[in-house]
Amino acid sequence: MLSGNFLEALPFGLFNNLKELSEIYLQGNEIKHINEKIFNGLASLRIVNLNGNCLHDVPLDLFKSQLNTIDLDFSQNKLSSIPSRLLPKMGNDIKLQNNLIDIVRSNTFREATNISTIMLYGNKVFELEDDSFDGLVNLSELYLDYNQLNEIPTTLFKANPKLVHVTLSHNSLNTIRSNSFAGLFQLNSVELSYNKIAHIEEGAFYGSAITFLNLENNFPHRNISFKLSFIS
């Protein structure tokens, strides 16, 4: 373990004589840059925790030597974009919370179809492009709270049939459009508290299986349009 120190960099060759190393814990340091070859030869690597560092970017070939997926934690860094080429290596859970990511681009996750959980809370996300989560047929949990979203595309979840839980609290959403959460037959809970929602269009949740919907601390205006249609 090298966690909780004041490391700003990892010396090249640090792990050269540790070919059987399977877990690396580097959280709570001040690492700003990682050499793309630092993990070369570590074929057994399965856990890398870089939570709580100062990374602005991640080399695209950082895990080129590893054929297996790895439990990677890049949360609480200073990443401004999602390292899309690394996503297939990150296993089922994407841990990118508390960074500086501002946009989720279309097809960002298209090469990582096994993802089940995405944690993007506590970023600076102000835009989700229409096809942001396309290809994620196994996505079940999505955490987007504490961002800067004003709206979500009406077709955002069209390719996510197994979605169960969505959190969008503590954003700046003002309208939930028709069909935004429609047709999600496994969707159980939606967290929309602490937004600026004044309008929920009819059919926003049409055909979904929601049993928990939190709208606490919304509706800032007097003229509220609020009509839910869950079933036909």
Side-chain angles (χ1 to χ4, degrees):
M1 279 191 177
L2 292 168
S3 58
N5 288 285
F6 297 95
L7 296 174
E8 294 185 6
L10 301 175
F12 183 68
L14 178 64
F15 305 114
N16 279 0
N17 297 318
L18 300 170
K19 300 301 182 182
E20 301 303 316
L21 192 62
S22 62
E23 301 180 14
I24 299 177
Y25 296 93
L26 293 161
Q27 67 268 29
N29 281 288
E30 298 177 3
I31 298 170
K32 298 178 174 64
H33 174 73
I34 297 182
N35 187 289
E36 65 178 4
K37 298 181 179 180
I38 192 71
F39 300 129
N40 277 12
L42 302 181
S44 300
L45 196 59
R46 60 183 182 85
I47 296 176
V48 176
N49 191 331
L50 282 156
N51 167 272
N53 278 280
C54 301
L55 294 170
H56 288 269
D57 54 56
V58 182
L60 298 179
D61 293 325
L62 186 60
F63 298 101
K64 191 175 182 179
S65 290
Q66 289 72 39
L67 300 178
N68 54 300
T69 58
I70 304 169
D71 183 354
L72 300 176
D73 191 342
F74 288 115
S75 60
Q76 203 171 336
N77 277 277
K78 297 182 179 181
L79 301 177
S80 59
S81 62
I82 296 173
S84 56
R85 278 182 55 181
L86 284 181
L87 294 175
K89 293 286 188 181
M90 295 179 74
N92 296 331
D93 299 337
I94 303 302
K95 302 169 186 175
L96 290 169
Q97 65 269 30
N98 296 317
N99 275 281
L100 301 174
I101 297 165
D102 55 3
I103 298 176
V104 182
R105 301 288 185 187
S106 293
N107 299 309
T108 293
F109 299 93
R110 63 184 174 185
E111 302 296 331
T113 57
N114 290 326
I115 293 172
S116 60
T117 301
I118 297 176
M119 288 176 274
L120 284 169
Y121 60 83
N123 276 278
K124 305 290 184 182
V125 180
F126 67 88
E127 181 181 1
L128 299 169
E129 294 188 352
D130 285 350
D131 300 325
S132 293
F133 305 114
D134 269 22
L136 297 178
V137 295
N138 294 305
L139 183 64
S140 63
E141 298 183 21
L142 177 62
Y143 298 87
L144 283 163
D145 33 326
Y146 291 96
N147 278 287
Q148 299 173 8
L149 292 165
N150 292 310
E151 62 179 356
I152 57 173
T154 58
T155 59
L156 185 64
F157 303 122
K158 66 181 184 298
N160 313 125
K162 296 183 180 179
L163 197 58
V164 174
H165 177 68
V166 179
T167 66
L168 283 156
S169 62
H170 295 274
N171 278 278
S172 299
L173 298 174
N174 52 65
T175 300
I176 305 300
R177 302 292 181 190
S178 180
N179 296 318
S180 293
F181 297 93
L184 298 170
F185 303 116
Q186 296 188 38
L187 187 62
N188 179 265
S189 61
V190 177
E191 173 64 69
L192 292 169
S193 61
Y194 293 92
N195 277 280
K196 299 176 181 179
I197 298 171
H199 306 285
I200 298 179
E201 295 182 355
E202 184 174 2
F205 303 94
Y206 182 84
S208 293
I210 297 173
T211 60
F212 176 83
L213 175 63
N214 190 357
L215 290 164
E216 182 182 6
N217 283 286
N218 275 285
F219 311 119
H221 310 298
R222 291 183 178 180
N223 296 322
I224 298 170
S225 175
F226 183 14
K227 185 175 183 181
L228 298 181
S229 179
F230 290 96
I231 59 175
S232 57

